[in-house]
Amino acid sequence: MVEMVDGMDVPKHCRTTFSTYQDEQLRTQGNKDYFITSGDKIRFFFEKGVFDDKGEFIVPKNRSVNKVGHALHAYEPLYEKVTHSPRVQGIAKRLGLVNPVILQSMYIFKQPGIGGEVTAHQDATFLYTEPLGRVMGLWFALEDATVNNGCLWFIPGSHKSGISRRMVRTPPGTFPLTDFTGREQDYDDEKFVSAPVKKGGVVLIHGEVVHRSAQNTSENSRHVYTFHIMESQDTRWSPDNWLQPTEELPFPPLYTQ
C-alpha cells in the first residue's frame, strides 16, 4: 500500500473527501462520478483538510488518504490472495455460506491525529439485499486497533431489528447521483461496546449490526484491510445500490481465485 500511495495520480477534481455523515455524502461522495464508478476500480479517498484551495496537498501524501477502494481484491495480487485464502474460505464454509461472492474491498488508514470518525451505521444501508442478512464484512487489523486509535464499537443485538435507511442511486441524468430513503435512528451511546483487536485479528461484521468508530486523535495509525461478501444463493442484489457489478468486474466467487 505504501507503494500504491507513493505512485497515486489523482486528478485535482477527483480528490474526494470520504465521510460517513449523510449531508457530506450527498455533497461529496454521492455527487461525484469518481466515487460511484469506483466499484470495479482502485481509487483513493482523502481525509478532511489535506488540500489547499487549489487542490494541492498540504500534508504528506501518505498521511492524506482515508481509504483505498473498492476493487483491491480483483486487481492487486496480494489482496486477491488474502481475500481468497483458505482460512477466509474456511470461515465462510463454517458459517454455511454456499456461494458467497465478493462485493467490495477497502484499505482503511485511520490516520494518526486526523483519522475521521465513522458515524453509527449499518452496512446493509449501503449494500442492500433481499432478503436481508446476506452480507457480511471481514475486517482485518493490520495494526493493533485500540479504544485510543479508533477501534470498532457495536450495539450487541442490533442486527435483529432490520434497517431504517437506504442509500440509493437516483434515476439516470438526475443530481445528486445518490440519495437516502428513510432516516438513521438515534442510538444510545451507552449501548455501544468497544471491540479492540490485536494486529492480525479479524472481526466479522453482520450486515445489519450497528457499528461505528471514533476519530483517531492518537499518535498511532489504525490500518485495516476489509471486504464484504454476500451469499448469492437465493439472494437478490438491489439494482438501487450505489455499488453494481460490471461487465469488467462481476462479483467474483469467494471459493475460486
Side-chain angles (χ1 to χ4, degrees), residues 99-201:
N99 188 24
V101 296
I102 303 158
L103 302 175
Q104 63 170 0
S105 55
M106 297 174 283
Y107 190 106
I108 302 173
F109 293 77
K110 206 73 166 181
Q111 301 284 4
I114 63 169
E117 174 189 9
V118 177
T119 56
H121 68 284
Q122 298 163 287
D123 291 344
T125 291
F126 309 95
L127 307 172
Y128 181 79
T129 62
E130 295 176 354
L132 285 170
R134 299 304 180 96
V135 170
M136 179 178 71
L138 291 91
W139 193 94
F140 295 85
L142 306 181
E143 300 175 300
D144 290 352
T146 70
V147 171
N148 292 330
N149 71 358
C151 71
L152 295 170
W153 292 68
F154 295 91
I155 297 182
S158 57
H159 64 291
K160 300 176 182 179
S161 302
I163 64 172
S164 60
R165 185 178 71 140
R166 287 184 57 196
M167 180 181 181
V168 298
R169 286 177 176 244
T170 54
T174 59
F175 185 86
L177 302 178
T178 62
D179 202 349
F180 284 93
T181 62
R183 64 179 296 274
E184 193 66 83
Q185 300 178 43
D186 294 324
Y187 300 110
D188 184 350
D189 283 348
E190 294 184 358
K191 292 184 177 181
F192 282 91
V193 176
S194 63
V197 61
K198 291 291 187 181
K199 175 182 176 179

Side-chain angles (χ1 to χ4, degrees), residues 9-28:
D9 182 18
V10 181
K12 291 181 182 179
H13 70 280
C14 294
R15 292 181 178 177
T16 301
T17 298
F18 182 81
S19 171
T20 57
Y21 288 98
Q22 178 169 331
D23 61 335
E24 292 182 9
Q25 282 179 327
L26 295 178
R27 188 169 65 249
T28 57

